[in-house]
Amino acid sequence: MDRRDGFQLYVPPDLRIPGHHFPPLVYGLAVVYASSFAKQLSRQFGESTSARGKEKKNETRDSPSSSPYNLRSKDKDEVDTSGDGEDADESAQGPNVAQVLLLGLPSPRYLVWSAVTVAVNLLLVLGVVDYIYRGPQWHPSHDVSFARVGYVSPNAAKILVREPDLSQLPIYLSYRKGSGSTDDAWKAGGKINVLSEDTDFTQALTISRLSAETQYQYTLSTNHSGHFKTAPSAGRSPAKEDGGKFTFLTSSCIKPNFPYNPISHPLSIPGFRHLAARLPELGAHFMLFLGDFIYIDVPKRLGVDVETYRREYRMVYNSPDWPSVSEDLPWLHVLDDHEIQNDWDGNTTGVYQAAADPWIHYHTSVNPPAVRPGASYFSFAQGPASFFMMDTRRYRSPEFAAPNDAASKTMLGKQQLDDLLLWLRKPEPEGVKWKIIASSIPFTKNWRFGDSDTWAGYLSERQCVLEAMWDVGLRGGVGVVVISGDRHEFAATSFPPPPGKKWPLSATVHEFSTSPLSQFYLPVRTYRQEDDEDVTIK
């Protein structure tokens, strides 16, 4: 948590999940194990039977009628050379109990324990199958009905409604000021007359003509309700009841039912429960979610069509834990790769169109205003901060088309880059102390694993943006902060201007990178400082 000039950034706790290479590996190893187990057990049964046969034969030879003292000299030699029966018995015994349980080795002497080790391995494989398929197959969430708050300005609020039961139409939205207000009469906030499969039965409503920094309650004729607080005007100090702080949350990366629990609801999201426990004390204005709201390809991609992508969004919204973090908290969204495909750099080709459908209907429809019509990057200002929410996927150059420092590579595309630089140059209203840039992927190049997918793979454009950020500090009065996610690790980094140049040290830019909210955390630290350009804070 970091506080400066009334600005508070809260990083929620994180939880974790396996990658998409594991399911086929698990299935393949299970087949190899089962066939090897059966073959080894069969061989040991054969050896055991052979050993018992030798034992009976030796017993026969040891009888008085076949005593060596009653045999001819030639027969004595034969008897003398067969005296290793005890060693044969030892080799036929097979693995001991510890080897059976710990190594999964079969033993005809311990058939019960051999069955136990097979059952354990079978349950592990079934757990993988259950984790991958139970949610999508048993809970596709076609019938999920909900409402949530999106962008809330000083005088308006956007509400997303999903209702697949068309008998509920028309749907009426009403709102009123919160408890303690003398004006608590319900007012009409809007009406939905038509819903269809074209938008997956979603529609956005906007409540207008609201008062700034005021608590409101809304309700729908579909029995959904919630609360929100309108934002302070740009430049206005946070209200005293907020402790003089302007608080927002930031995180990324969600995967239902991780850590995996076979007795949990397949759509449970533990990270939501941890976050919900902190919400009352934080008094956050909104969650700025930095991408990977779904994982279409982890642990296994189940399709490339629009319905597959829509289903992933519906399952998160149908989680039994979703209401606890949405009834009183607006959510804003940035796009990242797992809403499309891992490390996506294909612009609007391939699966992008299928992926963009639910992203538009469920998220951008209630996001802040787009910087320009048709754009998928957004900007807004409220209280002590001005925000620019970048799209680092739709407009970027292919990751490996050129060296990382090639001037021809772009993360943002020309138009978005021009709009970002214009926003950085734009004077802010008095009282705005921070320009905050939301990037789905880290701005620092200190991540040493998969760094080409981050801004480390687009160094020329990064330098252009960084110099524009330092220019903000050169003018004074406003600082620049980058917030990012994606890496499943936390890091705080500073970007001081080079010594001897026109920028003062006070122009230093800071980045806070946080993820995941409910996903796996990398067990090995991959963040490492190797120069004086990107300086590790934590």
Side-chain angles (χ1 to χ4, degrees), residues 28-40:
L29 290 176
V31 171
V32 171
Y33 171 74
S35 58
S36 299
F37 188 96
K39 184 176 181 180
Q40 181 75 357

Side-chain angles (χ1 to χ4, degrees), residues 141-146 161-171 192-197 200-202 221-224:
S141 305
H142 293 294
D143 59 350
V144 61
S145 172
F146 70 90
V161 179
R162 184 179 195 272
E163 181 51 69
D165 182 2
L166 300 185
S167 67
Q168 298 283 342
L169 295 173
I171 297 173
I192 298 175
N193 292 311
V194 178
L195 288 169
S196 73
E197 194 173 354
D200 206 19
F201 305 101
T202 64
S221 56
T222 52
N223 293 323
H224 298 298

Side-chain angles (χ1 to χ4, degrees), residues 455-519:
W455 278 94
Y458 300 79
L459 291 175
S460 178
E461 186 167 279
R462 188 188 94 130
Q463 184 64 25
C464 174
V465 173
L466 196 50
E467 291 181 3
M469 294 177 183
W470 290 331
D471 285 341
V472 175
L474 179 63
R475 294 191 295 269
V478 177
V480 178
V481 171
V482 179
I483 55 175
S484 62
D486 179 69
R487 305 307 294 178
H488 296 216
E489 294 182 67
F490 173 81
T493 310
S494 66
F495 306 90
K501 300 293 184 178
K502 65 177 180 178
W503 303 286
L505 186 60
S506 59
T508 297
V509 175
H510 296 85
E511 177 183 19
F512 300 93
S513 186
T514 175
S515 67
L517 177 56
S518 200
Q519 245 272 23

Side-chain angles (χ1 to χ4, degrees), residues 18-26 297-300 342:
H20 58 279
H21 301 295
F22 286 102
L25 181 62
V26 169
D297 50 0
V298 175
K300 177 181 173 60
N342 185 47

